[in-house]
Amino acid sequence: MHYTIEVTGLTFSYPDGHRALNGVDLRIAPGEKVALVGPNGAGKSTLMLHLNGILNGGAGEVRVCGLPVKAENLGRVRAAVGLVFQDPDDQLFSATVYEDVAFGPLHMGLPEAEVRRRVEAALAAVGMSAYAARVPHHLSVGEKKRIAIATVLSMDPEILVLDEPSAGLDPRARRGLIRLLCELPQTMLVASHDLRLVAEVFPRTVIMDQGRIVADGPTPVLLTDVALLNAHGLEPV
Amino acid sequence: MLHFDLADHYQRGSSRIHRLDPRIKVIGAFLFILVATLLPFGAWPSYALLFVATLFIAQLSGLGAGYALKRSFIVLPFALAAITLPLTVPGETLAQWGALTVSVEGTVRFVSILVKSWVSVQIAILLAVTTAFPDLLWALRELRVPRPLVGIVAFMYRYLFVLADESLRLRRAREARSAAGTGRAGGSLLWRGKVAGGMVGNLAVRAFERSERIYNAMLARGFRGELLTLTPPAMTDSDRTMLVGWVTFLAMATLIGFVFAR
Amino acid sequence: MLPTSFATHVRSILSHRLFRLSGLAALWLMTTALHIPDGFLSMPVSLVGWVLLIVAVVYALRQTRGQLGERQIPLMGVLAAFVFAAQAINFPVAGGTSGHLLGGALTAIILGPWAAALVMTCVIAIQGLLFQDGGLLVMGWNIINMGVITAFTGHLVYRLMRRVLGEGRNAMLAAGAVGAWLSVMMGAIATAIQLALSGTSPLEIALPAMAGVHALIGIGEAVITVGALAFLYATRRDLLNIGEAAPGKASANWVVIGLVISLIIAAFSFAASPEPDGLERVAEDTGFIDTALDPLYEIFPDYTLPFIGDPLVSGILAVMLGTLIVFGVAWAIARAIARAPSRRAGA
């Protein structure tokens, strides 16, 4: 079976000695929408940073669309994994929105006409076409988060990996984000503390704690298991 | 969320000046200042011409003739750097106060410096006010400023507001804790300096950590060390004509200045 | 609204008691700002500044590329934003004035001198371009004064003092304090010299005024720098090592500082005594001066630049340009010699 993401026995310690991943096994098939939940420090962000090779050097293996995540494959891996960080200010680093969304396809080496087409398509997909000429710092958090998603959409990734997309959003912006996540057809892996969002959008949930995956199954089943949730620092909705 | 508004220099508009190719604006402003500096002291007709030019550009940009004028007085205090000129430059005596002699040459030089500085600042204001920063950067890149440097400036501008926000937050936190109790308020000078220093250090660490996250975000989108950009639009003929006109005007003003001051 | 550093100066000085009392404050006002506006420096001086800046920036870009690799752009950019934002953090000193940070020395201690010079270049360029804090034509010298000179002075003094005082925390803080103070002083002295060379302000007035006031301002710089270094030492000591690990171009740093010192001495020497040198004096006394042949060509006839009227200014500029030319020739010879042995070895 062809998997978009295949993580086998992944172990990783940070330079300061902190063991962040303790043997993680995870498989995500094309089209799946998966939520990643767990307490702070569980290793969610660390795992995500392994998916496009920003972190490496530990034990175990990561494969993206069958390609091992190694130095020689990083270009293709990064085009396939659209990683959106938690703080949109880290993600939107160009002078204008248009340039930010163009950054990915441009650095993939695509011809200009194609780059422009993708930028327009990505902005349209997140409903932010009118914002193309805007300067990032003047935008609201909700707007920035949508544009951050557009910046990876323009790379036409196989999978969208989002870290806490609803953090800091007011109810209206959050509702807009939920709608967007439901509409987008891409495979997704989304880390979130917002269990209501998880219940609404993601059919499958993976629970992480202390660098290990402790549960992996259908969302309705996991999110109603109160004992399981409490054991790993989570609360039922 | 704290929103920090740096004095937003750019005034949106669609005047002829706003639409002018930013390369031309940068070159035009620089040439103007070059001429202003080059002109000899006491070339009054040329100074007047330059001043009228700034009024003209201000008017043409839709901001009103006096726009740059009002904001240009910021250079005035620095005039005091030259204040001793009327007293120290040798020449024909203009006035005498006790042991101090004011010379004509010195006064001419002093006033000339002021006027030159004053018109230069106005044109610089007009440049900043009619050109969006990304366009300004683009112009610099096209004018052969090294790409890494322009890239660094672009990042700096982008994160100016983010870090200024964090700096503001630190300062407000300090203010909130700067109540006056009984006894001497304010603490010692050294202590206050150390607190300020600690805030600066705090800001530095935040800056470093943010730059690491940004670097990761760039890597995630395929960055390999060189910033790539899209091709800019070509210069229009109308813009080129305006540049030629401007250069001609400046050349004339220079000629008049040198002839007059002979 | 974030005030420009100059506007901050103006506002804080205007509320100072002294200003209301005496006109000496006028001098104070003039001397607290290092951002020179357009019109205050002459054309030749401004152009020299630009030439020096371009050389410095090109070299700094190459150096930092080697030192930081891919991180060059995001790291330098965000740190430039940091310096700009940090300049707004001040602390009240007395009667309305406040101490604040310029940042060249601190940045150089953290990152090394070339990276710091680049960071400061961006800060000062933006201040000039967007806020008209400092002119455009004079930006060459503004950046060199506030960015390059401060960075190199701060870095080198820091390194020297640590070698003398040792590796401990207090040694580091002391070295940082002195480095910061001296960096501000050197920047101020350089500014005074440029103003004098342009005929805007006589050296006898500009130099003591600038140096005197910045001796005080430098204390504010030193205090904040020490506070920041202490914080970094306590939280992220690893960040302090970036500058120390800067690739071994230490010799280049010494060369640059040596050159700057020679230029300053050159300027001073001529100002100190335009009298003829020993040989010329003897020749005049004994009467054989007239037997000297006319030179074949005259670059700097009698230590003057023919197109600059004022003899003192002209003399200083001539001496400085002469120093630069000698330096350039020596540099070229040194590099040629450095390459030669490897050819011989390979032959």
Side-chain angles (χ1 to χ4, degrees), chain A:
Chain A
M1 169 136 191
H2 166 78
Y3 288 109
T4 311
I5 297 284
E6 240 183 305
V7 178
T8 326
L10 191 61
T11 310
F12 179 80
S13 299
Y14 279 102
D16 64 2
H18 167 64
R19 186 98 172 245
L21 295 178
N22 260 313
V24 173
D25 290 296
L26 181 64
R27 269 178 204 74
I28 300 179
E32 282 200 272
K33 289 197 174 166
V34 184
L36 188 60
V37 306
N40 282 341
K44 306 193 291 290
S45 298
T46 311
L47 174 61
M48 287 173 148
L49 287 173
H50 274 87
L51 295 180
N52 66 354
I54 287 178
L55 290 180
N56 51 47
E61 204 197 25
V62 180
R63 278 177 183 267
V64 172
C65 298
L67 281 173
V69 177
K70 274 206 289 248
E72 59 263 24
N73 293 328
L74 281 184
R76 280 185 289 169
V77 164
R78 285 171 183 171
V81 176
L83 186 51
V84 179
F85 294 80
Q86 190 166 342
D87 187 348
D89 275 324
D90 297 337
Q91 191 94 5
L92 302 178
F93 46 73
S94 302
T96 61
V97 164
Y98 194 95
E99 280 177 49
D100 251 322
V101 180
F103 188 93
L106 202 57
H107 282 77
M108 277 166 68
L110 296 171
E112 259 196 53
E114 176 65 12
V115 170
R116 290 187 192 276
R117 191 194 63 79
R118 289 198 183 195
V119 169
E120 271 134 47
L123 283 174
V126 300
M128 295 264 112
S129 299
Y131 288 70
R134 299 282 296 274
V135 175
H137 86 270
H138 277 142
L139 303 172
S140 73
V141 181
E143 289 162 345
K144 283 191 211 174
K145 291 220 167 198
R146 304 184 125 220
I147 292 169
I149 294 177
T151 63
V152 298
L153 277 183
S154 59
M155 296 173 71
D156 226 351
E158 295 291 333
I159 177 169
L160 283 179
V161 180
L162 309 182
D163 198 349
E164 301 290 344
S166 67
L169 292 184
D170 69 18
R172 193 180 306 157
R174 182 179 164 278
R175 183 49 45 193
L177 178 79
I178 291 178
R179 221 178 299 131
L180 179 62
L181 291 178
C182 288
E183 276 169 13
L184 289 173
Q186 280 85 1
T187 313
M188 277 183 208
L189 175 66
V190 173
S192 185
H193 285 304
D194 185 347
L195 292 186
R196 281 174 137 151
L197 179 148
V198 169
E200 254 192 84
V201 184
F202 301 96
R204 176 180 162 199
T205 297
V206 171
I207 302 182
M208 264 186 97
D209 197 0
Q210 296 185 341
R212 229 177 264 112
I213 292 183
V214 295
D216 181 351
T219 305
V221 172
L222 261 59
L223 289 192
T224 47
D225 187 340
V226 180
L228 176 68
L229 292 176
N230 285 335
H232 300 289
L234 300 167
E235 276 174 32
V237 293

Side-chain angles (χ1 to χ4, degrees), chain B residues 94-146:
Chain B
L94 185 64
Q96 190 121 15
W97 292 316
L100 296 170
T101 333
V102 175
S103 72
V104 170
E105 279 79 355
T107 315
V108 162
R109 198 187 275 210
F110 175 62
V111 175
S112 300
I113 289 182
L114 280 190
V115 172
K116 289 180 185 209
S117 186
W118 186 48
V119 293
S120 300
V121 151
Q122 286 185 63
I123 217 75
I125 290 173
L126 288 169
L127 172 65
V129 142
T130 59
T131 319
F133 194 72
D135 293 337
L136 203 57
L137 286 183
W138 170 85
L140 292 177
R141 212 182 293 132
E142 292 299 302
L143 294 171
R144 305 300 173 87
V145 177

Side-chain angles (χ1 to χ4, degrees), chain B residues 12-85:
Chain B
R12 210 172 284 270
S14 55
S15 72
R16 187 64 192 91
I17 302 288
H18 280 86
R19 284 178 289 121
L20 192 55
D21 191 304
R23 286 169 286 190
I24 303 228
K25 282 192 269 189
V26 169
I27 295 174
F30 206 82
L31 285 177
F32 182 97
I33 296 174
L34 205 82
V35 164
T37 307
L38 198 62
L39 284 172
F41 296 125
W44 311 115
S46 297
Y47 299 163
L49 279 174
L50 290 184
F51 176 62
V52 167
T54 63
L55 291 178
F56 176 67
I57 300 284
Q59 185 64 26
L60 202 61
S61 65
L63 299 162
Y67 186 87
L69 195 61
K70 277 183 278 178
R71 286 157 186 73
S72 64
F73 293 109
I74 193 150
V75 278
L76 218 53
F78 204 91
L80 295 157
I83 197 119
T84 56
L85 283 175

Side-chain angles (χ1 to χ4, degrees), chain C residues 254-295:
Chain C
W254 287 114
V255 168
V256 168
I257 272 296
L259 177 63
V260 172
I261 291 177
S262 347
L263 286 175
I264 292 179
I265 292 175
F268 270 112
S269 67
F270 200 86
S273 172
E275 303 292 321
D277 64 32
L279 175 62
E280 223 180 306
R281 182 67 195 274
V282 169
E284 281 178 354
D285 285 345
T286 54
F288 69 80
I289 195 154
D290 291 325
T291 61
L293 293 169
D294 278 330

Side-chain angles (χ1 to χ4, degrees), chain C residues 16-330:
Chain C
H16 195 283
R17 257 177 284 125
L18 259 181
F19 182 69
R20 298 190 194 121
L21 292 176
S22 84
L24 261 175
L27 227 54
W28 177 279
L29 196 71
M30 165 267 274
T31 56
T32 52
L34 287 181
H35 292 84
I36 310 172
D38 279 317
F40 283 82
L41 294 186
S42 66
M43 266 299 279
V45 173
S46 304
L47 289 181
V48 168
W50 269 105
V51 169
L52 289 177
L53 177 68
I54 290 172
V55 170
V57 163
V58 168
Y59 196 74
L61 281 172
R62 236 181 294 161
Q63 272 293 91
T64 54
R65 178 52 127 180
Q67 179 191 353
L68 301 168
E70 287 174 345
R71 280 181 170 75
Q72 182 196 33
I73 293 176
L75 182 61
M76 308 264 84
V78 177
L79 286 178
F82 150 71
V83 171
F84 191 99
Q87 288 181 347
I89 296 177
N90 52 17
F91 65 101
V93 170
T97 54
S98 51
H100 68 111
L101 183 79
L102 187 54
L106 177 63
T107 315
I109 292 172
I110 299 174
L111 290 177
W114 291 109
L118 211 56
V119 164
M120 296 303 288
T121 299
C122 296
V123 174
I124 298 161
I126 291 241
Q127 286 173 334
L129 275 172
L130 295 191
F131 305 111
Q132 291 79 50
D133 215 355
L136 299 183
L137 190 60
V138 300
M139 197 183 282
W141 279 119
N142 274 337
I143 295 178
I144 293 182
N145 294 339
M146 291 182 280
V148 180
I149 291 181
T150 52
F152 275 89
T153 309
H155 171 80
L156 287 165
V157 168
Y158 177 79
R159 284 257 289 263
L160 262 173
M161 286 195 64
R162 287 208 77 184
R163 218 170 283 185
V164 166
L165 294 175
E167 290 298 310
R169 176 183 176 273
N170 290 334
M172 177 200 70
L173 295 181
V178 176
W181 185 83
L182 271 175
S183 74
V184 170
M185 286 298 286
M186 294 295 277
I189 291 173
T191 308
I193 293 177
Q194 287 135 34
L195 287 173
L197 288 178
S198 302
T200 306
S201 190
L203 201 60
E204 313 87 77
I205 295 182
L207 195 58
M210 283 276 194
V213 170
H214 282 86
L216 289 173
I217 291 181
I219 295 180
E221 180 93 9
V223 170
I224 296 188
T225 301
V226 165
L229 287 174
F231 184 93
L232 285 170
Y233 190 83
T235 53
R236 287 288 303 266
R237 205 170 305 178
D238 57 301
L239 294 179
L240 289 176
N241 292 329
I242 302 179
E244 320 236 335
K249 296 289 176 186
S251 52
N253 298 344
W254 287 114
V255 168
V256 168
I257 272 296
L259 177 63
V260 172
I261 291 177
S262 347
L263 286 175
I264 292 179
I265 292 175
F268 270 112
S269 67
F270 200 86
S273 172
E275 303 292 321
D277 64 32
L279 175 62
E280 223 180 306
R281 182 67 195 274
V282 169
E284 281 178 354
D285 285 345
T286 54
F288 69 80
I289 195 154
D290 291 325
T291 61
L293 293 169
D294 278 330
L296 285 171
Y297 53 84
E298 295 188 325
I299 302 180
F300 300 139
D302 205 10
Y303 282 101
T304 60
L305 292 174
F307 49 86
I308 293 184
D310 184 292
L312 179 68
V313 173
S314 150
I316 291 181
L317 260 181
V319 173
M320 289 177 90
L321 279 174
T323 310
L324 275 171
I325 291 176
V326 170
F327 172 81
V329 172

